[in-house]
Amino acid sequence: MSSLALAGCRGSPSDSAVLTAEKPLHLEEHLDVARIEGSEPPVAGPETIVWRFDEPQPDWKAFSLIAPPNLREATRADDALRIRVTEVGVPTIENESLFGAGIYIDAPSLLRLRPAHLMVRARTESAGVVSVSSASLDDSQSRHGVTGLFQEISEPTPIIADGSVQGYLLPFPLEQLWARSGSTRMASDVCCRVGVMFQTYEPGNVDILSVTAVSTSAAFVSDPLGVMTVADGSNESRRTMFTHAPGRVAYTVHVPPGGRLDVGLAVVRNDAPVDFKVTVAAARGEEHGLLEETVADRAAWIQRSVDLATYAGQEVTLALQADAETPGTVALWGAPVVSGSSRADRPNVVFYVIDGAAAQFMSVYGYNRHTTPNLVRLASEGAVFEQAYSNSTWTRTSTPSFMTSLHHSVLGGYLTGTDPLPEQAVTMAEHMHRGGYQTAVFTANPYAGTMSTLDRGVDVLRDTWDGFTCWPRSSHSASSVWLHEAFWQWREAYPAQPYWAHFQSVDVHQPWHPAAPFAGLFGNVDAPQRLSAWQARMEEVGSWDEPWLAALAGADIDALEYISVAQGLYDEGMAHNDYQIGRLVDRIKAAGEWENTIFIVAADHSHDNAGLPSLASMSAPFWEDQAIFSPWESRIPLIVVWPARIAAGQRFSQPVSMIDVVPTIVDLAGLPIPEITQGQSLAPLLLGQGGWEPRPVIFDEFYASFKSDTLFGRIGVVDGRWGASLLVNRDPFPQEEGGRAARLLLFDLWTDPNLSHSLHEERPDLMEQYTAFLEAQWEAHQALAQRFTRSGEGLPLTPEQLQTLRSLGYIH
């Protein structure tokens, strides 16, 4: 459950505050003109459990991070419990070891509270991170006192290492803990252990003053009503209006032909049922009840449609009311939308990202296996970009960038897996939502949803990552089946147009378990087992973290055989996803929506970071991996179809980037182009209009250190024949022959498309040119980053910075 915004309000609007629903009307966006009665938060504060360590807390015990962990002794330190952090844990992205230790508690009572967060107050002088961890045990393990292997269930939060007392608010993802318990029962019924884990860069002491568990209800008590993104127990999140019972929110609405209200109903606690009621009253008429329902189970949204067609053409008072036995009980109204039956005046948009898809392994791009016959058919109806690139090399750094058209360093770089987007950054979903679209996301990768705060502006988000949700791991490679099913469920529940839907499937992403009838299509049916056995052998001999060829050689595995098996599995996943896309398109056509739908197929990165090494990527010198635009990491598909407007059969050879997608979609949809985008609209190319000028494709991927605010990483460019990649705030990688490569690598993409040889010694003239170019780009990105801060307060830019950014096309 993650908060978007809280909007408490009161007051009576004027009689002229009439809402219309020619396009979908999102009621939660109009609290400023609603008439609100009641909806007072409870007088008592949120339910909490507090453990203070200035007194003995025998239920809490210390543990180490070695595998398996062992019990440790914690010592008293006046007002705190002191633990010694000594055992070496996992290496960081900076290849520095983290030392770790923590405290844990057997937690059935804690889990029954349904905590949303743990607040930990601690002090230390050791830099590092703190996170929530868990160990799930069966009864036999519990009786023998084994602590089990603790795993993080929240992303790490940086520690303030100045010796002062600091509070750390750590998310408590209960559904993940439940899934990791391996039980079909509720997590509170399983003998689980919940821990607070500290990892530091050097051995040291951590003093823990208190741990406070805060219930899920706490998110709702600061305002009488507001808007949040709320997840149910099945990983479906909705943009939600919350109220407190007894409470009533009424709107004056002009009902369109075929009018209807679609809404999800839910509660926060199983022991606090809510009576939901929807009423309508025509002008000077009686109030009629259209829906009455009691909800007591928080496991899933209860979807309801309220028929308003009888009132078409009239101005009515539409009221949403909640009652409960306990005053202050929270009522959740998920994605309340009023719509009609009129045809949309804007196109629907389906943005389909195949996570880890490589253009070079798709038959629509000339691959010799028929992996994408349906995309070949789809491409014949629209346009194909032959040289499209992801703007970064993996999902967590790439997806937030192409969903905002802002490069990764502008958004703040990577510190943890749950870094929020800066408040000033506007997502594609927010653009579409503001433009009157119904919005939905169907993702099998959490980095494309709530973990990246890409749920902003999304009415309904279905996050179906296989690690902690709705299907078994063996069906990972069939994610598209479940995503498409969720899409059609959404269309049935919210049938209004226009709509925007973002898919992110993982059919081609490791681990591969191809679905029938594609299993064995390009190899043997036992290929998953063979690959798993090889990987286990690499893990066993300790070669897994070596470069690919060394890792395979160290485990006595033939590289060509490994590639052949992995390639077959990858291609089978691609063929499956292609087949499912074909079925999705056919069903959209059968629904009569195809002519007015923009359908885009793309990817967030290429094959190497989807688990598939190629001989080219294996054979490239290890230090050349500092090139950010390699074909095995960054060349991706980009296909755009809109039968009503885009001419069929077009193929474009100009290099383009995923950073161009946001301005392209809003431009094609007739919405305002954002003031700040680092991509440019491809609409002039697609529509055969003038005004589009090619520009170099920029790549950007940066990481933040837990020790300082400095970003380090890579910035690169593809500029016609030449490609260059510059390291920033980081030493070049060692060469295989000894020594280090240049800070900037340079490649001739015409003669060396696989980046097998850098020209940093042969072409000093180009080295100087592209070093200066990329350093200027980096300075521009850092200047623009001042407008986008995670604290929410963007800094003003100087006139010189503004002029530079305008000259680069970043500010319009």
Side-chain angles (χ1 to χ4, degrees), residues 298-604:
R298 73 163 307 277
W301 292 99
I302 296 176
Q303 182 65 32
R304 292 294 179 259
S305 178
V306 178
D307 187 2
L308 302 175
T310 303
Y311 300 92
Q314 302 182 51
E315 291 182 8
V316 303
T317 297
L318 182 65
L320 282 60
Q321 182 172 323
D323 294 288
E325 290 186 5
T326 304
T329 300
V330 178
L332 303 176
W333 304 85
V337 175
V338 176
S339 63
S341 57
S342 60
R343 182 177 176 84
D345 60 350
R346 298 188 190 277
N348 302 315
V349 178
V350 175
F351 178 42
Y352 202 111
V353 177
I354 306 174
D355 201 299
Q360 68 191 91
F361 297 136
M362 305 172 77
S363 50
V364 67
Y365 284 91
Y367 185 44
N368 59 5
R369 283 177 170 170
H370 294 293
T371 52
T372 57
N374 288 282
L375 291 184
V376 170
R377 174 168 59 96
L378 184 67
S380 69
E381 299 185 46
V384 176
F385 288 89
E386 298 279 6
Q387 297 296 326
Y389 295 90
S390 62
N391 40 276
S392 190
T393 67
W394 65 292
T395 306
R396 184 60 182 87
T397 60
S398 174
T399 303
S401 292
F402 67 70
M403 294 301 285
T404 59
S405 194
L406 296 170
H407 277 294
H408 187 230
S409 64
V410 174
L411 296 173
Y414 178 99
L415 183 63
T416 74
T418 54
D419 296 327
L421 287 173
E423 292 180 12
Q424 306 91 341
V426 182
T427 68
M428 189 190 305
E430 288 177 301
H431 286 299
M432 307 309 287
H433 198 273
R434 294 171 184 177
Y437 277 73
Q438 294 196 105
T439 57
V441 172
F442 308 97
T443 174
N445 190 327
Y447 285 146
T450 54
M451 284 186 68
S452 300
T453 57
L454 287 171
D455 51 357
R456 290 182 355 197
V458 178
D459 292 327
V460 175
L461 184 148
R462 185 68 183 177
D463 189 340
T464 49
W465 181 243
D466 72 36
F468 39 87
T469 136
C470 74
W471 71 69
R473 178 171 294 277
S474 61
S475 297
H476 178 103
S477 299
S479 69
S480 55
V481 174
W482 305 99
L483 299 180
H484 297 182
E485 180 180 334
F487 169 78
W488 290 113
Q489 291 171 351
W490 173 65
R491 292 296 299 132
E492 182 179 359
Y494 293 92
Q497 300 182 56
Y499 62 81
W500 170 91
H502 167 210
F503 291 90
Q504 195 134 337
S505 64
V506 294
D507 292 25
V508 304
H509 207 296
Q510 197 177 25
W512 297 299
H513 299 278
F518 299 93
L521 180 63
F522 300 117
N524 295 324
V525 293
D526 66 345
Q529 291 74 28
R530 293 181 67 196
L531 194 69
S532 179
W534 285 333
Q535 292 172 348
R537 190 188 310 169
M538 286 189 283
E539 187 79 34
E540 182 180 349
V541 302
S543 68
W544 181 255
D545 293 326
E546 298 292 325
W548 270 112
L549 286 177
L552 294 171
D556 195 26
I557 300 168
D558 182 84
L560 291 179
E561 187 178 8
Y562 185 98
I563 291 173
S564 176
V565 171
Q567 185 72 63
L569 291 169
Y570 181 93
D571 291 347
E572 287 163 13
M574 185 77 77
H576 178 268
N577 208 153
D578 173 81
Y579 172 71
Q580 296 300 335
I581 290 175
R583 296 185 66 193
L584 176 66
V585 168
D586 288 345
R587 192 165 172 182
I588 293 174
K589 290 180 176 179
E593 299 174 358
W594 184 245
E595 288 296 317
N596 198 40
T597 296
I598 301 170
F599 198 100
I600 299 175
V601 176
D604 57 340

Side-chain angles (χ1 to χ4, degrees), residues 639-657:
I639 302 168
V640 184
V641 180
W642 185 10
R645 294 289 306 279
I646 294 175
Q650 300 183 84
R651 297 187 86 96
F652 299 105
S653 60
Q654 299 92 331
V656 297
S657 170

Side-chain angles (χ1 to χ4, degrees), residues 718-730:
V718 166
D719 184 21
R721 177 174 183 172
W722 308 107
S725 187
L726 179 73
L727 286 178
V728 177
N729 297 328
R730 190 170 188 173

